[in-house]
Amino acid sequence: MFASNVAANTFGPLITVSDPVFASSNSPVMAFDRATNKVVLAASTGCPQCLSKLGLVDLSTGTTSTFDGVGFGYANGIAVDPSTGIACTSTEIDFSVEFYDLATQTGFAVNLLGAVAQFQSGRDVQLDPIHHLFLVGQEFSSTAASGSSIQVFNEQGTYIESINGLSLPASSVRIALNPTLRTGYVLVTPDLTSLQSFNY
Protein backbone atom coordinates (compact mmCIF):
# COMPACT_ATOMS: atom_id res chain seq x y z
CA MET A 1 0.00 0.00 0.00
CA PHE A 2 1.16 3.55 -0.67
CA ALA A 3 -0.27 7.05 -0.75
CA SER A 4 -0.13 9.36 -3.74
CA ASN A 5 -0.50 13.10 -4.19
CA VAL A 6 -1.96 13.01 -7.69
CA ALA A 7 -1.70 16.76 -8.27
CA ALA A 8 1.99 16.81 -7.33
CA ASN A 9 2.69 13.44 -8.98
CA THR A 10 4.39 12.18 -5.81
CA PHE A 11 4.16 8.86 -4.03
CA GLY A 12 4.69 7.84 -0.43
CA PRO A 13 6.71 4.84 0.71
CA LEU A 14 5.47 1.32 0.05
CA ILE A 15 3.87 -0.21 3.15
CA THR A 16 3.57 -3.98 3.33
CA VAL A 17 0.48 -5.37 5.06
CA SER A 18 1.66 -8.81 6.12
CA ASP A 19 -1.53 -10.29 7.58
CA PRO A 20 -2.69 -12.87 4.98
CA VAL A 21 -6.38 -12.09 5.53
CA PHE A 22 -5.75 -8.84 3.61
CA ALA A 23 -4.29 -10.67 0.60
CA SER A 24 -5.75 -9.69 -2.76
CA SER A 25 -7.37 -13.13 -3.06
CA ASN A 26 -9.73 -12.09 -0.22
CA SER A 27 -10.70 -8.84 -1.98
CA PRO A 28 -10.11 -6.49 0.95
CA VAL A 29 -11.97 -3.18 0.96
CA MET A 30 -10.47 0.08 2.19
CA ALA A 31 -11.34 3.60 3.23
CA PHE A 32 -9.19 6.59 4.17
CA ASP A 33 -9.47 8.29 7.55
CA ARG A 34 -8.00 11.72 6.86
CA ALA A 35 -8.27 12.75 10.52
CA THR A 36 -5.71 10.14 11.55
CA ASN A 37 -3.97 9.69 8.17
CA LYS A 38 -4.76 6.00 8.35
CA VAL A 39 -6.18 3.55 5.82
CA VAL A 40 -8.89 1.32 7.28
CA LEU A 41 -9.04 -2.17 5.77
CA ALA A 42 -11.68 -4.86 6.12
CA ALA A 43 -11.47 -8.44 4.85
CA SER A 44 -12.23 -12.06 5.61
CA THR A 45 -11.24 -15.44 4.23
CA GLY A 46 -14.92 -15.83 3.39
CA CYS A 47 -15.84 -18.99 5.24
CA PRO A 48 -19.34 -19.00 6.78
CA GLN A 49 -18.07 -18.94 10.37
CA CYS A 50 -15.09 -16.63 9.75
CA LEU A 51 -15.36 -13.21 11.29
CA SER A 52 -14.08 -10.28 9.31
CA LYS A 53 -10.93 -8.49 10.40
CA LEU A 54 -10.14 -4.80 10.32
CA GLY A 55 -6.71 -3.30 9.78
CA LEU A 56 -5.38 0.18 10.45
CA VAL A 57 -2.42 1.29 8.32
CA ASP A 58 -0.71 4.50 9.45
CA LEU A 59 0.53 6.27 6.33
CA SER A 60 2.80 8.52 8.41
CA THR A 61 4.70 5.80 10.27
CA GLY A 62 4.05 2.72 8.15
CA THR A 63 2.83 0.76 11.16
CA THR A 64 -0.14 -1.57 10.94
CA SER A 65 -2.50 -3.01 13.53
CA THR A 66 -5.53 -5.27 13.33
CA PHE A 67 -8.58 -6.15 15.36
CA ASP A 68 -11.40 -8.67 14.98
CA GLY A 69 -14.61 -7.58 13.31
CA VAL A 70 -18.15 -8.66 14.12
CA GLY A 71 -19.45 -9.55 10.63
CA PHE A 72 -19.27 -12.97 8.98
CA GLY A 73 -17.94 -13.69 5.50
CA TYR A 74 -16.29 -11.42 2.96
CA ALA A 75 -16.32 -7.68 3.55
CA ASN A 76 -18.16 -6.10 0.62
CA GLY A 77 -17.93 -2.41 1.43
CA ILE A 78 -16.52 0.11 3.89
CA ALA A 79 -16.72 3.81 4.67
CA VAL A 80 -15.28 5.94 7.48
CA ASP A 81 -16.44 9.22 8.98
CA PRO A 82 -13.19 11.05 9.87
CA SER A 83 -15.00 13.57 12.07
CA THR A 84 -16.37 10.89 14.41
CA GLY A 85 -14.03 7.93 13.91
CA ILE A 86 -16.93 5.64 13.04
CA ALA A 87 -16.53 3.03 10.30
CA CYS A 88 -19.29 1.04 8.63
CA THR A 89 -18.80 -2.22 6.74
CA SER A 90 -21.11 -4.63 4.95
CA THR A 91 -20.51 -8.38 5.07
CA GLU A 92 -21.58 -11.25 2.86
CA ILE A 93 -22.65 -14.29 4.87
CA ASP A 94 -24.76 -12.66 7.56
CA PHE A 95 -26.30 -9.95 5.31
CA SER A 96 -25.57 -7.32 7.92
CA VAL A 97 -23.83 -3.99 8.35
CA GLU A 98 -21.32 -3.34 11.09
CA PHE A 99 -20.47 -0.15 12.96
CA TYR A 100 -17.06 0.34 14.57
CA ASP A 101 -15.56 2.90 16.90
CA LEU A 102 -12.02 2.95 15.52
CA ALA A 103 -10.57 4.54 18.65
CA THR A 104 -11.79 1.74 20.94
CA GLN A 105 -11.72 -0.94 18.21
CA THR A 106 -15.18 -2.15 19.20
CA GLY A 107 -18.24 -2.70 17.06
CA PHE A 108 -21.67 -4.22 16.63
CA ALA A 109 -23.67 -5.69 13.75
CA VAL A 110 -27.16 -4.82 12.49
CA ASN A 111 -29.10 -7.02 10.06
CA LEU A 112 -30.36 -5.31 6.93
CA LEU A 113 -34.08 -4.70 7.32
CA GLY A 114 -36.08 -7.65 6.03
CA ALA A 115 -33.02 -9.57 4.80
CA VAL A 116 -33.30 -13.34 5.16
CA ALA A 117 -30.50 -14.75 2.99
CA GLN A 118 -26.98 -14.12 1.72
CA PHE A 119 -28.12 -12.87 -1.68
CA GLN A 120 -29.60 -9.84 0.11
CA SER A 121 -26.25 -8.80 1.59
CA GLY A 122 -25.08 -5.22 1.34
CA ARG A 123 -22.42 -4.11 -1.13
CA ASP A 124 -20.86 -0.68 -1.48
CA VAL A 125 -20.96 1.60 1.57
CA GLN A 126 -20.72 5.37 1.21
CA LEU A 127 -20.66 8.18 3.76
CA ASP A 128 -22.67 11.37 3.83
CA PRO A 129 -20.27 13.43 6.00
CA ILE A 130 -22.67 16.35 6.43
CA HIS A 131 -25.59 14.38 7.86
CA HIS A 132 -23.41 11.54 9.23
CA LEU A 133 -25.27 8.82 7.36
CA PHE A 134 -24.03 5.59 5.80
CA LEU A 135 -25.68 4.44 2.55
CA VAL A 136 -25.42 0.73 1.74
CA GLY A 137 -26.09 -0.64 -1.74
CA GLN A 138 -28.15 -3.82 -1.94
CA GLU A 139 -28.39 -5.58 -5.31
CA PHE A 140 -31.38 -7.70 -4.28
CA SER A 141 -33.68 -5.59 -2.14
CA SER A 142 -34.98 -6.80 1.20
CA THR A 143 -37.40 -3.86 1.47
CA ALA A 144 -39.09 -4.01 -1.96
CA ALA A 145 -40.73 -6.78 -3.95
CA SER A 146 -38.14 -6.53 -6.73
CA GLY A 147 -35.11 -4.61 -7.88
CA SER A 148 -32.31 -3.09 -5.84
CA SER A 149 -32.22 -0.75 -2.89
CA ILE A 150 -29.96 1.52 -0.92
CA GLN A 151 -30.38 1.19 2.83
CA VAL A 152 -29.64 4.28 4.93
CA PHE A 153 -28.34 4.15 8.53
CA ASN A 154 -27.11 6.71 11.00
CA GLU A 155 -23.82 6.18 12.81
CA GLN A 156 -25.54 4.64 15.82
CA GLY A 157 -26.71 1.78 13.58
CA THR A 158 -30.30 2.96 13.40
CA TYR A 159 -32.12 2.22 10.15
CA ILE A 160 -33.35 5.48 8.62
CA GLU A 161 -34.93 4.64 5.27
CA SER A 162 -34.83 2.54 2.11
CA ILE A 163 -34.34 3.93 -1.37
CA ASN A 164 -36.10 1.38 -3.57
CA GLY A 165 -36.66 1.00 -7.29
CA LEU A 166 -32.99 0.88 -8.29
CA SER A 167 -31.19 -1.53 -10.60
CA LEU A 168 -27.72 -2.07 -9.14
CA PRO A 169 -25.16 -4.34 -10.81
CA ALA A 170 -23.85 -7.48 -9.14
CA SER A 171 -20.37 -6.02 -8.77
CA SER A 172 -19.90 -3.60 -5.93
CA VAL A 173 -20.01 -0.40 -7.97
CA ARG A 174 -19.73 2.87 -6.11
CA ILE A 175 -22.61 5.04 -5.00
CA ALA A 176 -21.85 8.69 -5.81
CA LEU A 177 -23.31 11.23 -3.36
CA ASN A 178 -23.90 14.97 -3.25
CA PRO A 179 -24.50 15.35 0.51
CA THR A 180 -25.30 19.06 0.27
CA LEU A 181 -28.34 18.33 -1.91
CA ARG A 182 -28.97 14.88 -0.38
CA THR A 183 -28.91 13.32 -3.85
CA GLY A 184 -26.97 10.44 -5.32
CA TYR A 185 -26.28 8.48 -8.49
CA VAL A 186 -25.75 4.82 -9.33
CA LEU A 187 -25.03 2.86 -12.50
CA VAL A 188 -28.00 1.13 -14.12
CA THR A 189 -27.93 -2.50 -15.25
CA PRO A 190 -27.67 -4.18 -17.66
CA ASP A 191 -25.92 -1.74 -19.99
CA LEU A 192 -23.87 0.09 -17.30
CA THR A 193 -23.77 3.20 -19.51
CA SER A 194 -26.39 5.32 -17.76
CA LEU A 195 -26.96 6.71 -14.29
CA GLN A 196 -30.01 6.68 -12.07
CA SER A 197 -30.48 9.50 -9.56
CA PHE A 198 -32.12 9.33 -6.15
CA ASN A 199 -32.87 11.51 -3.16
CA TYR A 200 -32.56 10.59 0.48
Side-chain angles (χ1 to χ4, degrees):
M1 176 177 297
F2 61 88
S4 173
N5 183 329
V6 176
N9 197 30
T10 59
F11 300 87
L14 184 66
I15 301 171
T16 300
V17 181
S18 58
D19 192 318
V21 77
F22 299 113
S24 60
S25 58
N26 292 326
S27 302
V29 292
M30 70 174 86
F32 179 56
D33 182 351
R34 68 176 183 275
T36 60
N37 199 38
K38 292 180 180 179
V39 173
V40 185
L41 300 168
S44 167
T45 57
C47 73
Q49 298 303 314
C50 293
L51 286 171
S52 55
K53 183 179 281 191
L54 277 79
L56 301 173
V57 183
D58 192 317
L59 295 176
S60 301
T61 65
T63 59
T64 63
S65 62
T66 64
F67 65 96
D68 289 335
V70 294
F72 289 92
Y74 288 120
N76 292 332
I78 186 172
V80 174
D81 188 340
S83 67
T84 61
I86 301 297
C88 176
T89 62
S90 61
T91 47
E92 179 73 20
I93 296 296
D94 54 0
F95 40 92
S96 70
V97 288
E98 300 79 35
F99 299 86
Y100 297 96
D101 183 324
L102 296 177
T104 62
Q105 299 186 358
T106 57
F108 60 93
V110 176
N111 276 6
L112 290 168
L113 182 68
V116 295
Q118 181 180 349
F119 75 96
Q120 293 173 317
S121 61
R123 298 293 177 181
D124 183 42
V125 181
Q126 291 295 326
L127 167 74
D128 173 339
I130 296 176
H131 305 98
H132 303 286
L133 298 171
F134 289 110
L135 285 78
V136 182
Q138 188 184 35
E139 180 193 0
F140 297 104
S141 178
S142 59
T143 53
S146 62
S148 305
S149 294
I150 291 174
Q151 309 297 346
V152 184
F153 294 85
N154 67 19
E155 295 190 358
Q156 292 72 48
T158 303
Y159 164 82
I160 302 298
E161 66 172 326
S162 298
I163 303 158
N164 299 319
L166 303 174
S167 182
L168 301 177
S171 60
S172 187
V173 298
R174 301 292 181 251
I175 302 165
L177 297 178
N178 183 335
T180 302
L181 300 178
R182 294 184 71 120
T183 60
Y185 300 89
V186 291
L187 276 173
V188 178
T189 56
D191 60 342
L192 304 180
T193 59
S194 58
L195 296 175
Q196 185 173 12
S197 64
F198 62 87
N199 299 302
Y200 63 95

